[in-house]
Amino acid sequence: MVTRDLNPHMRRELIRTLRRSLPAAAILHDPEALRAYECDGLSAYRELPMLVVLPETVEQVRAVLAACSERGIPVVARGAGTGLSGGALPNADGVLLSLAKLNRILEIDEHNRIARVQPGVRNLAISEAVAPLGLYYAPDPSSQIACSIGGNVAENAGGIHCLKYGLTVHNIQALTFLTPDGRLLAVGGGAPDSPGYDLLALLTGSEGLLGIIVEIVVKLLPRPERAQVALAAFDDAEKAGAAVAAIIAAGIVPAGLEMMDNLAIRAAEEYVHAGYPVDAAAILLCELDGMNEEVSEQILQVRRILTQCGAASVRTAQDERERLLFWAGRKAAFPAVGRLAPDYYCMDGTIPRRNLARVLVRISEMSASAGLRVANVFHAGDGNLHPLILYDASRPGDLERAEQLGARILELCVEVGGTITGEHGVGVEKIDQMCLQFSAPALTQFHALKHAFDPQGLLNPGKAIPTLRRCAEYGAMHVHGGKLHFPEIERF
Amino acid sequence: MGNQTERVATDTLDSSELLQEQVRAALRSGTGLQISGGGSKSFYGRRVSGVTLSTAAHRGIVGYDPSELVLTARCGTPLSEIEAALAERNQMLAFEPPHFGGAATLGGAIATGLSGPRRPYAGSARDFVLGAKIINGQAEVLAFGGQVMKNVAGYDVARLMTGALGTLGVLLEVSLKVLPRPAAELTLVQHRTPAEAIDVMNIWARRPLPLSGCCFDGDRLYVRLSGAEPAVRAAHDRIGGEILKDDRSFWLSVRDQQHAFFDGPLPLWRVAVPPATPPLDIPGKWLLDWGGSQRWLRSDADAPAIHRHASRAGGHVTLFRGGDRSGDVFHPLVPDLMELHRRIKAAMDPEQVFNPGRMYAGF
């Protein structure tokens, strides 16, 4: 890859200006140093930024924003770089703003059950810091050992406990953010709600397009007294889907309810030896937590339901070691599947659960016709499906076929009443599929809201919300259901 | 497929086109619209002028699938109708939206964003909003969010609409996450001083107890426990206290402000603070809900003094009922934040047609 240096003079001048506010070591411009930032967790998309800055204080972040805003230079925020939709893909003419060094836990208030943290703090570090108080931070994306809380807010990250404990948006109480021109605003606090519009909700999941978050107040919950997990094997994925519906219809809200298909089961078993039944068409992991007495009662209920729904076998973890082992297989599913092929591409649609069997059949048909294997890992409780498409990037045409298959799967999710992204975000990856999910006036409304926060359009341009022109071009390629989604837009 | 699906078609009056036409007419004539559902919360917010846009006829549950935990209904649907449909399947709106004794509708519940006693333990109105169909200030019908639990496509406009008091658009349809009703529920009563009550509510909240309500009336502390029967029994043993007989009507009286505390002519203030905040030194009568984080105050103290006390405690204040409805009813915003609010309003409703002035003066 060649560094593009469209305006070397501007770049030199910007570096000179930034050096007044930032230490020299916090400004990276050498191509080799920039290379570490060329992609996030979705490595199929790469770009070298003009500069990388690593501020250590809010004041330094403000200085970066002010300098960029004066010069009309785009700014892409980055946390730990674990995102899976290319949300932190650099802009070649812009500054990549790493918030990784703003990594301090500023305050833990055990009485009000909140913690005030900087955006670069790792998700898991919060739960570790408050563990001695019997508290924890609930959202647990699978990358929680590495991902940062700022990135979690930007993507509205989920995890395996969403059905019961919610997403990031349900577990934060306040945000402090900088506007693109460097003004510091605070919404929310230790009290519930906040006066005015719910900007906390609007900023959560806005993928770095509306403001730069520099401080977050997260909610802390008491650790449940006990957790227990049941592992059920099914000879048919449809039966597993029906069991999920039956558990929920019985009035039980499991802490985690996960499903894996045969390919994913075999890969995980081979990788971590979790004791999974490798001949099952699907397995369900159902975790219950709460007070000891409650868990004891509900685990019996769940066993009964699973058996009634035709489970070939149901096991409950005998001890904490086995419970963690059952989960280890699920948590390692992505890397385990990754061993089956040189590359894999992780999708993230959500569907109404009642359509699960239909969607799995369609995915397996599409997988066969594309000649690419697909393993399915499913947050069954909340309908969030992660098909993992296996391919070999070194084989000509494979990446393109994987991307096309992925796009078809997302279209299928929209078709059955779901969404193109449950928790990974739109980023650059799913920007075309946004045209299927939203009408032109809805996209225009998004752009108007973006303009209210960022009139110059400098924050993470080209991500999350497609332009109408882009949708027109995409629509010309994919006429959906015989109807053009954007008939009123000029074609190119 | 669809064997788990259930479509409950109640009253299927779809008047979205009529509403859209009324918004177009208001835009043409430059008239402001005052959006009204059942009118149960017309007292709330600042006094507003304009022609009434009634959403009451746009009603009906359009989708409810108990095993998906999702319900979608039109804005004019009475909350009582939704709650009855949910109760039939042993489910509920866990944020316990207030009815205030009137014909409260779903649209009003979401537009005000108000939640009842279960809120600190189960979540607020906006926490349960999954999607919304709206009319924006250009008379366009737009859909945001969806009918699934996890959805991060696009900005979260459905949640932005929650609590915006109709100033950003007309809610046409809302999809909500619903939850199973707890198998068992029990309320315990203990006599406590205010400082003790605040302490003990927050100590309990740090423990894994099945709390679903904590309210203190100045003398008695009411603790509601909800969940599986063995959990409620075990928590009862740990917490102690007398069992309240008619617990359902007590919590309804708090939710709907029918409790004796809410009688009388003095202005009603809502003071939201971090829950463990010690008793505030503002003269008046207090009722603490939400484990100490929502404090109701009957007082004729000066607004600026009340604002100051709440701000110092890291909280904010609403003049909920009575007092001067043309002044600052909601906690004043700092200038930069107010400016951002104006721009958001302009992005959604550029002609300022919806509920002008209901939240803050000028928009």
Side-chain angles (χ1 to χ4, degrees), chain B residues 87-102:
Chain B
E88 253 176 56
R89 305 307 300 258
N90 215 18
Q91 295 187 338
M92 63 177 184
L93 297 177
F95 60 100
E96 292 189 320
H99 292 215
F100 293 134

Side-chain angles (χ1 to χ4, degrees), chain A residues 56-231:
Chain A
E56 289 172 15
T57 65
V58 174
E59 217 24 70
Q60 290 174 1
V61 179
R62 190 207 291 262
V64 171
L65 289 172
C68 291
S69 152
E70 268 168 40
R71 292 162 180 78
I73 294 172
V75 176
V76 176
R78 174 184 167 113
T82 57
L84 291 172
S85 57
L89 179 74
N91 185 297
D93 304 320
V95 167
L96 186 93
L97 170 59
S98 168
L99 296 155
K101 290 201 168 169
L102 288 166
N103 60 0
R104 284 182 305 138
I105 295 177
L106 301 169
E107 184 190 359
I108 292 168
D109 177 350
E110 66 168 307
H111 300 291
N112 290 302
R113 293 143 348 251
I114 50 179
R116 197 157 58 84
V117 301
Q118 291 189 314
V121 172
R122 288 178 308 111
N123 172 299
L124 192 58
I126 301 173
S127 290
E128 287 170 349
V130 300
L133 303 170
L135 301 171
Y136 78 115
Y137 173 67
D140 57 346
S142 59
S143 56
Q144 72 176 149
I145 191 162
C147 64
S148 68
I149 186 73
N152 289 177
V153 174
E155 303 293 328
N156 193 11
I160 52 176
H161 293 101
C162 290
L163 179 67
K164 185 165 180 180
Y165 296 104
L167 302 155
T168 304
V169 70
H170 302 107
N171 288 281
I172 58 173
Q173 268 191 215
L175 291 176
T176 305
F177 66 100
L178 283 161
T179 61
D181 55 354
R183 277 176 298 165
L184 193 68
L185 295 177
V187 292
D193 320 317
S194 56
Y197 297 138
D198 197 336
L199 301 187
L200 201 65
L202 189 62
L203 283 158
T204 307
S206 64
E207 304 196 17
L209 271 77
L210 301 183
I212 302 295
I213 295 161
V214 293
E215 203 176 291
I216 300 144
V217 175
V218 301
K219 286 184 199 173
L220 304 172
L221 300 181
R223 267 225 175 271
E225 204 168 74
R226 180 179 162 210
Q228 172 61 295
V229 67
L231 166 67

Side-chain angles (χ1 to χ4, degrees), chain B residues 103-139:
Chain B
T105 62
L106 174 62
I110 300 307
T112 54
L114 298 173
S115 310
R118 205 180 295 269
R119 183 254 191 260
Y121 313 99
S124 65
R126 75 88 132 128
D127 288 337
F128 288 91
V129 170
L130 301 175
K133 200 191 272 185
I134 69 161
I135 304 177
N136 72 359
Q138 296 179 75

Side-chain angles (χ1 to χ4, degrees), chain A residues 6-28:
Chain A
L6 297 180
N7 191 341
H9 170 73
M10 178 186 261
R11 175 173 144 130
R12 276 197 303 273
E13 194 272 327
L14 178 65
I15 293 171
R16 266 201 310 277
T17 305
L18 291 176
R19 280 206 175 140
R20 277 184 232 137
S21 320
L22 276 80
I27 306 169
L28 310 181

Side-chain angles (χ1 to χ4, degrees), chain B residues 200-260:
Chain B
V200 78
M201 287 191 285
N202 285 287
I203 288 169
W204 290 333
R206 289 207 300 279
R207 297 193 181 142
L209 294 166
L211 300 175
S212 66
C214 269
C215 176
F216 177 68
D217 70 2
D219 175 31
R220 276 154 303 184
L221 175 58
Y222 298 83
V223 193
R224 184 170 59 180
L225 304 168
S226 304
E229 205 275 327
V232 170
R233 203 177 336 115
H236 176 190
D237 291 345
R238 288 186 214 181
I239 285 175
E242 276 174 52
I243 296 177
L244 181 68
K245 286 232 173 56
D246 196 6
D247 59 332
R248 199 180 132 71
S249 68
F250 171 77
W251 292 105
L252 283 178
S253 77
V254 174
R255 184 193 79 179
D256 288 341
Q257 302 184 343
Q258 308 284 337
H259 186 280

Side-chain angles (χ1 to χ4, degrees), chain A residues 112 163 198 353-354 419, chain B residues 1 67-68 126 151 177 276:
Chain A
N112 290 302
L163 179 67
D198 197 336
R353 268 187 282 96
R354 60 179 173 271
T419 173
Chain B
M1 273 321 293
S67 78
E68 300 274 347
R126 75 88 132 128
N151 182 1
K177 176 179 175 179

